[in-house]
Amino acid sequence: MDIIKPLFVPVATPRPKYFGLSPINILGVRRNMLSVWADKAYKARSLSFSLLNQKYFLCNSPDTVRRVFLDRHDIYDKKSPQMRHALEPLLGDGLFVSDGELWRERRKACSPPFESSFLPGFSAIMSGSAEAMANDWMSLPDGSSVDVLNEMARLTAQIIGRTVFGDDVSDADAAKVVNGFSVYQKTINQLDYADTFGLPFLRGLYNPLRRKKAAKATAEVHEVIDQIIERYKQGEKPDRLTLLSVLLDGDSSSSGRGGCPLNAEAARNEAIVMFMAGHETTANALAWAWYLIDGCERSRNKMYAEIDEVLQGRTPTLEDVANLPFTRAVFEETLRLYPPVPLLSRQAREEDEIRGTKIEPGTIMLALPWLLHRHEKEWDNPDAFHPERFLPGVPRPDKFLYIPFSVGHRVCLGGRFGLTEGILCLATLAQRFKLKLPEKHNVEIECRLTLRPKDGLPMILEKRV
């Protein structure tokens, strides 16, 4: 008789006994934004609170998320000051930071390359890039250790370069981008006292050494994107539509909408947004997926059996994605447990009322995928890894509860792209390898702009072929 094993409960952030920012826990919050949320935040439908002069409202249920991110988007379309000031040095006025009419214009300008007609071609590049990484790994001795977070970042940087930019990004350039994003996240002043506590006179307080490191990291990323743009201008342009062709030459997509080219700085800002969104978030999700699969023998066996049966040794294509439901469920469950962007924020432009709470202009509206995805009143075994909850035939979670790609008007343009990329990369690499966590390595969570394994994720390669 089969023994039913308990579900695998992976690493999570420690929960403080009481919610709040204080001199005692402020340093911990600067390292991990999720460490402030106590048990009640995993049960409440909403929370309102103030940090000195700044009012906050936590949207922690499908109805509250829907109101802020969809129904009343007109008064909640502005990113919070904390998020804008954290990202502007790197992204300028890019999509992730802009709002109002500028955001609407840029959103329209950036959307054509993500039309569904381009996905088959992109999928071939995704699988091909993963296959090339598998070949690199095959040249290593069996039992070698690799930093899976760094490897997945290198892989997704290559994919985003070849697909969205139409450019064969070198390993050296990919490493620059990976390092630049990593250093930037560690050095930017994400928890700005002036914005967090509503004390503008504190805005000048910032460690100049950290500012210098952030500026250097920004320059590294800008340099790579500038080189991609310059190669596009000087070289032979690809036959298909790319993000750069849309941004620099104008929209010529099947939509027929037309559009004006952007200037060089605006094009670079949007290109960096797409590179960050397409590389950083998917890389983190893939790294977490390998960690989860290693920790759950039952899920690992089911995923490998499915991949072997469907692919039988060949490189997967877009058509195979529909035939890999468990592999997809693994990736979707990974996005639930470790949403790459675990905190979304907006600022109220006007007065409103939500669940009986008066919302004043200037209130910071928060929606945390981390909390929503682990809400104890919405999910069974919310902290456990259980891919079966995303299999076909199982009711889908409310789209305002499960929001790994955000939701509403500002939902991620590349959501389908990222999901397909994750499935194809997992399937391609899993055909040839198992990845095992070293026995003495303790996985920890680092949460700043994105959610990633702290200090990387060393794993041991075991060849399957």
Side-chain angles (χ1 to χ4, degrees):
M1 184 177 72
D2 291 337
I3 299 175
I4 299 176
K5 295 183 179 180
L7 296 175
F8 173 50
V9 179
V11 63
T13 57
R15 300 183 190 181
K17 188 173 182 179
Y18 302 105
F19 167 76
L21 284 174
S22 68
I24 296 175
N25 67 8
I26 192 83
L27 292 177
V29 174
R30 290 178 71 91
R31 290 189 292 268
N32 184 342
M33 296 186 301
L34 302 177
S35 65
V36 70
W37 302 102
D39 281 341
K40 71 174 184 179
Y42 294 82
K43 302 180 180 72
R45 302 295 188 185
S46 65
L47 287 173
S48 59
F49 56 96
S50 295
L51 298 177
L52 295 182
N53 293 338
Q54 181 60 59
K55 295 184 181 298
Y56 290 83
F57 184 89
L58 174 66
C59 305
N60 210 32
S61 61
D63 62 296
T64 55
V65 172
R66 180 186 177 105
R67 183 167 184 84
V68 170
F69 287 79
L70 182 66
D71 294 344
R72 294 307 312 273
H73 171 73
D74 57 324
I75 68 170
Y76 295 117
D77 68 322
K78 190 176 182 180
K79 286 291 182 82
S80 70
Q82 294 98 319
M83 191 61 70
R84 292 200 307 273
H85 292 151
L87 290 171
E88 277 176 349
L90 179 66
L91 306 180
D93 62 359
L95 259 180
F96 211 83
V97 178
S98 61
D99 52 63
E101 187 58 33
L102 176 62
W103 173 82
R104 284 186 284 273
E105 291 176 0
R106 296 287 181 84
R107 173 88 175 191
K108 181 179 178 181
C110 293
S111 62
F114 296 97
E115 294 171 357
S116 58
S117 59
F118 294 99
L119 196 55
F122 288 167
S123 298
I125 295 172
M126 295 169 186
S127 295
S129 299
E131 191 70 33
M133 174 161 281
N135 291 334
D136 289 345
W137 285 359
M138 285 298 291
S139 66
L140 299 173
D142 203 23
S144 294
S145 177
V146 296
D147 183 342
V148 171
L149 178 61
N150 188 69
E151 289 292 280
M152 294 301 101
R154 181 167 67 92
L155 173 59
T156 57
Q158 287 283 3
I159 290 171
I160 201 70
R162 293 168 180 170
T163 53
V164 178
F165 296 126
D167 185 270
D168 194 357
V169 179
S170 70
D171 281 346
D173 281 349
K176 275 187 181 180
V177 172
V178 171
N179 180 69
F181 281 134
S182 180
V183 173
Y184 186 84
Q185 288 200 59
K186 290 179 179 178
T187 55
I188 52 122
N189 197 20
Q190 178 147 333
L191 190 66
D192 182 272
Y193 296 123
D195 295 324
T196 302
F197 297 107
L199 302 173
F201 64 87
L202 295 177
R203 185 149 288 131
L205 293 178
Y206 189 48
N207 186 322
L209 293 178
R210 293 173 69 87
R211 187 189 299 274
K212 187 175 181 179
K213 286 183 180 179
K216 183 179 178 182
T218 298
E220 279 192 351
V221 176
H222 284 192
E223 180 185 7
V224 174
I225 303 299
D226 285 343
Q227 289 173 352
I228 292 174
I229 291 174
E230 187 59 29
R231 286 196 293 267
Y232 177 86
K233 289 180 176 179
Q234 299 297 329
E236 294 184 6
K237 299 178 181 180
D239 295 333
R240 61 176 175 79
L241 191 76
T242 68
L243 181 67
L244 292 185
S245 67
V246 169
L247 297 179
L248 297 172
D249 303 333
D251 179 4
S252 57
S253 71
S254 59
S255 66
R257 289 191 300 266
C260 298
L262 303 180
N263 63 46
E265 183 179 353
R268 183 185 70 183
N269 290 343
E270 299 307 340
I272 294 172
V273 170
M274 294 303 165
F275 210 112
M276 183 182 78
H279 133 72
E280 169 82 4
T281 56
T282 309
N284 292 351
L286 280 166
W288 286 120
W290 290 116
Y291 159 68
L292 290 168
I293 282 297
D294 174 58
C296 182
E297 181 183 10
R298 175 188 55 81
S299 296
R300 181 173 67 249
N301 291 342
K302 290 179 73 171
M303 189 185 84
Y304 276 86
E306 176 184 84
I307 290 169
D308 291 346
E309 180 181 353
V310 172
L311 300 181
Q312 298 184 21
R314 60 179 175 79
T315 303
T317 65
L318 179 61
E319 289 70 28
D320 290 312
V321 170
N323 298 317
L324 296 168
F326 194 81
T327 307
R328 177 184 179 127
V330 163
F331 196 67
E332 289 196 283
E333 176 72 339
T334 300
L335 292 173
R336 184 188 71 83
L337 285 168
Y338 300 109
V341 181
L343 183 150
L344 309 172
S345 61
R346 302 288 187 268
Q347 188 170 32
R349 295 181 184 272
E350 301 176 13
E351 185 177 295
D352 194 15
E353 184 175 316
I354 302 179
R355 282 185 167 255
T357 298
K358 182 180 178 181
I359 306 298
E360 297 180 6
T363 299
I364 303 300
M365 314 299 290
L366 301 174
L368 275 72
W370 174 268
L371 295 177
L372 288 162
H373 294 182
R374 293 170 179 261
H375 201 289
E376 294 176 6
K377 295 182 179 178
E378 299 285 356
W379 303 89
D380 293 329
N381 298 307
D383 294 322
F385 177 59
H386 190 53
E388 283 80 359
R389 68 176 98 232
F390 286 101
L391 285 177
V394 178
R396 294 286 299 182
D398 191 295
K399 69 177 182 179
F400 295 97
L401 175 71
Y402 178 65
I403 54 172
F405 300 107
S406 189
V407 71
H409 293 278
R410 296 188 75 134
V411 68
C412 177
L413 277 173
R416 188 181 176 199
F417 179 103
L419 185 60
T420 302
E421 181 183 13
I423 296 165
L424 290 175
C425 289
L426 271 180
T428 302
L429 294 169
Q431 278 200 105
R432 298 166 68 179
F433 297 94
K434 289 183 179 180
L435 280 74
K436 188 171 183 59
L437 199 68
E439 288 185 11
K440 295 184 179 180
H441 182 76
N442 293 319
V443 177
E444 295 183 58
I445 293 173
E446 179 181 63
C447 177
R448 292 180 66 79
L449 290 176
T450 59
L451 188 69
R452 48 166 51 195
K454 184 180 179 182
D455 298 326
L457 186 66
M459 298 190 82
I460 298 167
L461 290 176
E462 294 183 1
K463 298 176 183 178
R464 300 185 66 218
V465 292

